[in-house]
Amino acid sequence: MAKTLSEKVWDEHVVRSAEGEPDLLYIDLHLLHEVTSPQAFDGLRLAGRQVRRPDLTLATEDHNVPTLDWDKPIADPVSKTQVDTLRKNCAEFGVRLHPLGDIEQGIVHVVGPQLGLTQPGMTIVCGDSHTSTHGAFGAIAFGIGTSEVEHVLATQTLMQAKPKTMAVTVNGSLPAGVTAKDLILTLITETGTGGGQGYIVEYRGQAIEELSMEGRMTVCNMSIEWGAKAGMIAPDQTTFDYIEGKPEAPQGADWDAAVAHWKTLVTDADATFDKEIVLDASVMTPFVTWGTNPGQGVPLGGVVPTPSDFADEQDRVAAEKALEYMGLEAGQPMREVKVDTVFVGSCTNGRIEDLRLAADIIKGHTVAEGTRLLVVPGSVRVRLQAMEEGLDKVFIEAGAEWRGAGCSMCLGMNPDTLAPQERSASTSNRNFEGRQGKGGRTHLVSIPVAAATAVKGTLASPADLV
Ligand SMILES: CC(C)[C@H](C(=O)O)[C@@H](O)C(=O)O
Ligand code: SF4
């Protein structure tokens, strides 16, 4: 029978299936961080269980860690407890941990791929919604709750009902300066934040094939903002080239065997999806959000919408509320919105390619008066690589803050937060009320828009800098 990519990977992992019951899936890689693991380990302890496959389990510290003074004890008591608890649990249960100060520490969704642990055809879970990021490699990867974390720790399996399948085909090429981030923001705005609900989505088409692995990760990362269970992209030469030589990638004959298998992980020509959406990349433009969910977006060249223009009553009310929270006026050109803080980082846009692109745009410019730019590498490896390439100097010379690795200002769980009413242009993925700090106002943007905005002080694209 013809199968889609997700059906192939799913079927290869079914340990038990029974009519009317969820499947029991084998899990190839279980990632952990400090926020969603403590109760799971407590549960194991209470039941007197061990971690079934510590060799398939990896932990890192990311959400609660400071990006300054990371060599000193964590000042915030709640964050310190979280991190200390993870350390204690990993030591007790024999789980590999990359703590603050370790060369492999960083955001869990940056660390897995860069170690070569994230591979095509795998099932990957983590107590974190943005686990969807790993789907960029052709893995089935999704976030799970803490009780499921405990189940996977104890059994290396997970009960899951099979989601429906969807194809998002993006034809044509993205115009110069338009990125994977603009593509996914456009998709979410055009189809609504619930558009992906209940589906494993496969992104395909020319524009997707032309994306780097970093770009593909950006798209799959934000599948969750679209409501999808997971996002996936069929592995191809770009994928193999990215993985080859990574520390945990297969080697020699194992590599050849792995690639031969990975090449079979494509949707069969006659396979059908439960739903299909087709987009045209060639008409996409830099895209930014004006509201408090990732589906409230417009092209950068557009204006803040007028709530009464929304046909749907709920959308109208949501827009009114969002404009008030965001301190924006209907009809205001997006390019005139003044930004206090630009955040470059997160598991959406905190990889080396992102930092290279940001540095390339900022080089020779300075950060606008009254604006601050925070550059936060997604991992220590990304940080070191950037420093090797001299990117840190470009940022620092422009007046930016060059930080240590972590989730940072993506969410308000560490010292990097917005003050009430402070406005950010952020390369992260969520913009709900208070996401980056109580009262903070977030505009989700791409790397080029973030970099140009830092220079201009108002939402801008690199074209505005010449
Ligand atoms: C803290 C964690 C559970 C959360 C998530 O699941 O996504 C966080 O990473 C986020 O981005 O909001
Ligand atoms: S960077 Fe942001 S989205 Fe990614 S795991 Fe951390 S908090 Fe979640």
Side-chain angles (χ1 to χ4, degrees), residues 419-465:
Q421 267 131 63
E422 189 176 342
R423 185 182 300 283
S424 79
S426 179
T427 64
S428 55
N429 49 37
R430 286 186 172 154
N431 56 346
F432 56 75
E433 292 186 16
R435 167 70 172 181
Q436 296 187 293
K438 197 165 183 290
R441 296 164 167 169
T442 304
H443 296 272
L444 300 177
V445 300
S446 68
I447 286 281
V449 170
T453 299
V455 174
K456 269 264 178 189
T458 46
L459 288 175
S461 73
D464 300 320
L465 300 184

Side-chain angles (χ1 to χ4, degrees), residues 8 10 26 53 74-75 97 110 131 177 204 213 223 239 247 266 295 311 314 337 356 358 361 401 419 445:
K8 287 184 185 179
W10 187 281
Y26 195 77
R53 293 293 301 267
I74 297 178
L97 167 70
V110 176
T131 308
R204 55 185 194 165
M213 284 318 295
S223 299
T239 321
V266 290
Q314 262 189 347
V337 174
R356 282 185 192 135
I361 294 162
E401 295 178 38
V445 300

Side-chain angles (χ1 to χ4, degrees), residues 83-274:
V83 168
D84 286 348
T85 305
L86 182 69
R87 289 178 189 176
K88 197 173 102 292
N89 285 331
C90 288
E92 182 180 333
F93 287 90
V95 170
R96 169 176 168 189
L97 167 70
H98 293 300
L100 210 51
D102 186 278
I103 190 165
E104 301 296 354
Q105 178 261 334
I107 307 172
V108 68
H109 313 307
V110 176
V111 169
Q114 85 187 5
L115 279 172
L117 282 168
T118 299
Q119 294 169 17
M122 283 185 159
T123 46
I124 303 177
V125 296
C126 172
D128 193 284
S129 58
H130 294 98
T131 308
S132 60
T133 313
H134 307 260
F137 291 79
I140 290 183
F142 54 88
I144 56 177
T146 298
S147 58
E148 293 174 309
V149 171
E150 181 181 341
H151 193 281
V152 178
L153 284 174
T155 66
Q156 203 59 28
T157 65
L158 184 69
M159 298 283 279
Q160 277 295 304
K162 202 171 187 171
K164 290 178 287 181
T165 60
M166 185 184 340
V168 173
T169 305
V170 194
N171 294 319
S173 293
L174 285 170
V178 183
T179 66
K181 182 66 162 285
D182 304 302
L183 189 162
I184 188 71
L185 285 173
T186 302
L187 171 69
I188 299 172
T189 290
E190 283 187 4
T191 58
T193 47
Q197 214 166 333
Y199 294 94
I200 293 193
V201 179
E202 180 181 344
Y203 301 95
R204 55 185 194 165
Q206 188 184 347
I208 301 296
E209 286 162 24
E210 287 173 0
L211 291 177
S212 63
M213 284 318 295
E214 283 88 345
R216 293 178 189 185
M217 284 189 256
T218 303
V219 171
C220 289
N221 174 277
M222 290 197 69
S223 299
I224 233 61
E225 271 58 55
W226 195 40
K229 175 77 182 175
M232 295 180 89
I233 294 171
D236 61 9
Q237 198 55 45
T238 304
T239 321
F240 310 148
D241 290 346
Y242 181 96
I243 300 172
E244 190 168 16
K246 292 266 185 305
E248 306 281 346
Q251 289 180 5
D254 288 346
W255 171 257
D256 296 338
V259 172
H261 175 56
W262 295 345
K263 284 185 174 164
T264 68
L265 300 176
V266 290
T267 291
D268 295 328
D270 45 349
T272 53
F273 291 88
D274 296 310

